[in-house]
Amino acid sequence: MQGAIAAAMGSEAPRLRWSRPDGLHLTLKFLGEQPRSKSGDIDRALREAVKGSRAFELIVGHAAVFEDKRGPRVLHAGVEGDTEPLLS
C-alpha cells in the first residue's frame, strides 16, 4: 500500500493531504457515528467475532476517489487476494 501512495503522491493533486501510512485502514463495515461510551462494547464484540480466525493476505486492487464540487477528497482502493474470509 505504501508504494501505491508514494506513486500517487507524485501525481498532480495539490489539494490532497496524505495520511501517514500508520493511519491507513480497511473498512469492513461502516458503523457510522458511535458514542465513545460504546467503544468498549464494540471492541469486545469485534474480538469475539474474529476469535479463532486465521490470518489471510490481501492485495491493493483498483483505486478511485470520492469527489465533491472542489475535486478529489478521499482516495480509496479495492482489495484482492484472499478475500473469502471477508465474506463469511
Side-chain angles (χ1 to χ4, degrees):
M1 182 71 148
Q2 291 179 359
I5 292 170
M9 288 177 79
S11 70
E12 294 185 27
R15 286 188 59 246
L16 297 179
R17 289 181 310 218
W18 297 96
S19 298
R20 295 179 326 276
D22 63 335
L24 300 176
H25 67 277
L26 173 64
T27 301
L28 298 175
K29 174 75 174 170
F30 183 68
L31 300 176
E33 290 291 324
Q34 298 295 318
R36 186 172 294 277
S37 62
K38 294 281 187 189
S39 64
D41 292 337
I42 293 169
D43 183 62
R44 281 187 289 283
L46 291 172
R47 288 179 189 280
E48 184 63 30
V50 299
K51 192 181 291 183
S53 297
R54 64 174 179 77
F56 55 95
E57 185 173 312
L58 299 174
I59 301 163
V60 176
H62 66 280
V65 293
F66 294 131
E67 296 188 53
D68 65 14
K69 62 184 175 187
R70 296 178 296 169
R73 300 283 297 155
V74 175
L75 171 68
H76 64 93
V79 292
E80 299 171 358
D82 188 10
T83 59
E84 186 64 32
L86 296 175
L87 304 174
S88 54

